[in-house]
Amino acid sequence: MSARTCLAIVLAAGEGTRMLSPRPKVLHAVAGRSLLGHVLAALRAAGGTQTAVVVGPDHEAVAAEARAELPGAQIFVQAERRGTAHAVLAARAAIEGRAAERESARGRRGRLKGPALAARPAGSPARAGAAERESARGRRGHLKGPALAARPAGSPTRAGADDILVIFGDTPLIRPQTLQSLRSALADGAAVAVIGFRPADSTGYGRLLTQGAELVGIVEHADASDRERAITLCNGGLMAFAGRTALDILDRIGCDNRKREFYLTDAVAIARDMKLRAVALEVTEDEVSGINTKAQLASAEAIMQQRLRQAALEAGVTLVAPETVHFAADTRLGKDVTVEPYVVFGPGVVVEDGATIRSFSHLQGAYVGKGAIVGPFARLRPGATLQEGVHIGNFVEVKEALIEAGAKANHLSYIGDARVGAGANVGAGTITCNYDGVAKHRTDIGKGAFIGSNSALVAPVRIGDGAYVGSGSVITDDVPPDALALGRARQVVKEGWVKRLRGLKSLGKRAAQASD
Ligand code: UD1
Ligand code: MG
């Protein structure tokens, strides 16, 4: 991309009532990452953008997610939900290029008194003052004039970015290339660029009104005539504005429509009135479909999984039955990794070259070293770190544990809060007893140690390098290097004991028959 600067404004103030969930809509997950996280990841991948995220009042969790996914993101609160243009203008300070300065002046947070509808930094009181409410009411309904103005129209905005992107926080399938192509349209001289698509069912979407290659207007479904509703090219919701004229256009948007909302879509007709050029770029439906319901969330998941499987195959991963493997958006698989059917990757998994993940394994927050073998039926939980050549077999659970090179735990074990030294062998049924009901404790197993089957290692405990633990032991004390520890009752053999028992039984039977 050119040296043009860019500000992306992500709208995430919606309630998402149709999700039927107390969780804010943009925090629902696709491939283990929030919807908002996907949008911010696309922005990160597209590169070169500053980002402002507009959240609703009381949406501190959304703000926290934005900061976690993109630490430089500036947060703005839209105190009242009055439409997409109103939401964009909540980030007015960022559009004017003031926000970066404000963010760096952390101490000033919350003390800024903005004009009625201007940006209010996160953390400041959500309630508008009476005077502010009054002035907001006074402006309502004026289609012409500075409907949302907090700045005299026409004043310079040059401190702001060259390109302004507006993205909805609930469109997780957006691709970085699409963001780039919108910016290219601005670089080619458009003042407004809009993403269009042709949905199977266009109910509810804004319709794009075109004349040849030019976009002349957008009419919302609720306001459209029958003839306009027959138009198949719809507004995907993603838009770009040339920074030079963005505020002049946005400040002219009014709310003279059926819903009495400030529609961002009015920007197109206003730009035309100002003799500026607007264009539409068409993409596939997948990319812009917004998530409003749990069913749409599931469809987006299916599309995302398809993309992730395809990317893995193209990167040289062997997926024996790709359609059965579930990835997280951040799963990283090395060269020539093999993933057998029915494997689930939660967030935070890295698998190095040549490793094999066998069927029915579940991995989350785990690192699998080169050539390691995991599963079938293995569970790797957060903090499981497997070095090169490790074998973790069936029904073995590993959590917060370092398994050093070449160590093996092949059957039916729990290894938690532990280190297993290089080349050690953990026998079937071994359990690290890490929890005493109050706190967690560590188990340390030395290099080349051998833990006999069905042993319980009661933490905190250390097994020295090369030591042996006899099968069935309960180990409560440290074992020195190269020692054998037996923590079980000594075996007792009673010769002929069963024979005597049988003899007693048959005597009893005969006595019973005699008394009948
Ligand atoms: C919008 C478009 C419509 C387009 C459709 C694509 C407008 C006026 N209409 O309609 O042309 O076809 O998206 O999906 O833009 N939001 C806020 N604050 C508000 C209102 C909305 O942050 O006050 C956010 C929502 O959280 C959401 C996004 O803006 O992320 C879009 O709002 P929504 O109400 O879903 O708009 P649509 O009616 O779907
Ligand atoms: Mg919508």
Side-chain angles (χ1 to χ4, degrees):
M1 188 50 61
S2 67
R4 292 170 68 95
T5 56
C6 182
L7 166 71
I9 302 174
V10 180
L11 304 190
E15 287 296 342
T17 44
R18 281 177 286 166
M19 296 296 272
L20 305 178
S21 162
R23 195 190 305 185
K25 177 164 80 174
V26 296
L27 297 188
H28 286 269
V30 163
R33 178 182 278 165
S34 69
L35 303 182
L36 179 62
H38 281 284
V39 171
L40 297 179
L43 284 169
R44 226 181 8 240
T49 61
Q50 284 176 47
T51 303
V53 179
V54 178
V55 304
D58 308 324
H59 275 191
E60 190 41 48
V62 177
E65 172 73 355
R67 289 194 194 98
E69 289 282 341
L70 198 68
Q74 300 159 26
I75 311 295
F76 294 89
V77 176
Q78 185 192 19
E80 252 186 298
R81 211 170 175 280
R82 297 180 60 195
T84 42
H86 181 258
V88 170
L89 282 171
R92 175 187 292 277
I95 301 172
E96 289 175 349
R98 290 189 283 117
E101 179 201 331
R102 176 179 297 179
E103 275 290 299
S104 62
R106 290 235 152 227
R108 274 193 271 146
R109 266 189 163 195
R111 281 192 276 124
L112 285 150
K113 293 234 168 16
L117 295 168
R120 191 169 56 74
S124 66
R127 243 165 22 85
E132 291 182 355
R133 280 199 303 274
E134 198 41 53
S135 74
R137 254 200 301 280
R139 291 199 198 108
R140 266 196 194 155
H142 297 299
L143 184 56
K144 293 270 153 51
L148 291 167
R151 181 185 64 85
S155 70
T157 59
R158 292 308 302 147
D162 298 319
D163 302 339
I164 313 275
L165 283 175
V166 178
I167 312 176
F168 295 166
D170 63 359
T171 51
L173 300 169
I174 193 73
R175 290 178 193 267
Q177 307 82 289
T178 304
L179 303 178
Q180 301 284 22
S181 60
L182 272 175
R183 292 188 62 192
S184 301
L186 299 181
D188 292 345
V192 181
V194 175
I195 287 296
F197 74 118
R198 295 181 197 274
D201 174 8
S202 30
T203 311
Y205 291 111
R207 306 299 202 279
L208 300 190
L209 312 178
T210 49
Q211 276 172 16
E214 296 269 306
L215 178 64
V216 297
I218 303 178
V219 56
E220 285 305 294
H221 183 91
D223 301 298
S225 65
D226 285 347
R227 224 162 49 114
E228 287 165 336
R229 283 186 184 180
I231 295 170
T232 54
L233 187 60
C234 291
N235 176 21
L238 190 69
M239 283 198 192
F241 293 87
R244 197 162 23 89
T245 46
L247 278 174
D248 288 340
I249 296 171
L250 292 167
D251 280 337
R252 283 174 163 78
I253 293 175
C255 60
D256 186 16
N257 53 56
R258 209 165 277 198
K259 290 194 187 165
R260 310 296 295 165
E261 280 191 2
F262 294 91
Y263 286 165
L264 189 60
T265 43
D266 286 349
V268 172
I270 291 168
R272 293 278 300 178
D273 283 350
M274 292 167 70
K275 307 275 178 274
L276 298 168
R277 197 156 66 86
V279 296
L281 307 174
E282 194 174 330
V283 301
T284 57
E285 180 171 7
D286 283 0
E287 219 184 311
V288 286
S289 53
I291 309 297
N292 297 308
T293 64
K294 292 281 171 66
Q296 288 167 340
L297 187 69
S299 310
E301 181 76 59
I303 294 165
M304 185 63 78
Q305 289 301 330
Q306 193 47 44
R307 284 188 190 176
L308 293 169
R309 290 169 192 142
Q310 197 56 36
L313 291 167
E314 282 166 16
V317 173
T318 301
L319 300 179
V320 178
E323 67 285 0
T324 67
V325 178
H326 190 95
F327 288 108
D330 63 355
T331 305
R332 277 170 41 208
L333 304 179
K335 282 196 238 17
D336 214 25
V337 163
T338 298
V339 181
E340 290 186 357
Y342 299 101
V343 170
V344 175
F345 293 95
V349 176
V350 175
V351 181
E352 298 289 4
D353 299 353
T356 300
I357 313 297
R358 305 184 68 185
S359 291
F360 302 104
S361 294
H362 188 288
L363 297 82
Q364 181 179 354
Y367 173 88
V368 178
K370 277 189 190 161
I373 300 175
V374 174
F377 298 98
R379 173 144 190 237
L380 301 187
R381 291 172 52 202
T385 301
L386 278 46
Q387 290 183 346
E388 193 164 345
V390 161
H391 288 192
I392 296 296
N394 35 241
F395 307 107
V396 175
E397 175 179 347
V398 182
K399 183 219 78 164
E400 202 57 61
L402 171 64
I403 316 295
E404 292 181 353
K408 293 188 175 112
N410 272 330
H411 333 266
L412 302 153
S413 269
Y414 171 65
I415 304 173
D417 301 303
R419 174 187 77 106
V420 177
N425 192 315
V426 176
T430 297
I431 306 292
T432 55
C433 309
N434 61 331
Y435 187 49
D436 58 14
V438 178
K440 301 276 172 71
H441 303 281
R442 294 194 62 79
T443 299
D444 192 83
I445 299 174
K447 209 166 38 172
F450 182 96
I451 314 298
S453 296
N454 203 31
S455 294
L457 309 177
V458 183
V461 72
R462 293 169 148 297
I463 312 297
D465 290 352
Y468 269 46
V469 168
S471 300
S473 292
V474 176
I475 299 295
T476 52
D477 295 321
D478 289 354
V479 180
D482 299 318
L484 166 67
L486 297 165
R488 63 189 189 209
R490 179 171 287 278
Q491 182 172 327
V492 175
V493 176
K494 298 190 174 177
E495 293 286 350
W497 188 90
V498 180
K499 209 171 175 184
R500 284 197 297 281
L501 176 72
R502 287 195 197 108
L504 283 172
K505 269 190 180 163
S506 62
L507 263 180
K509 225 186 226 169
R510 252 179 270 146
Q513 281 163 355
S515 65
D516 276 347

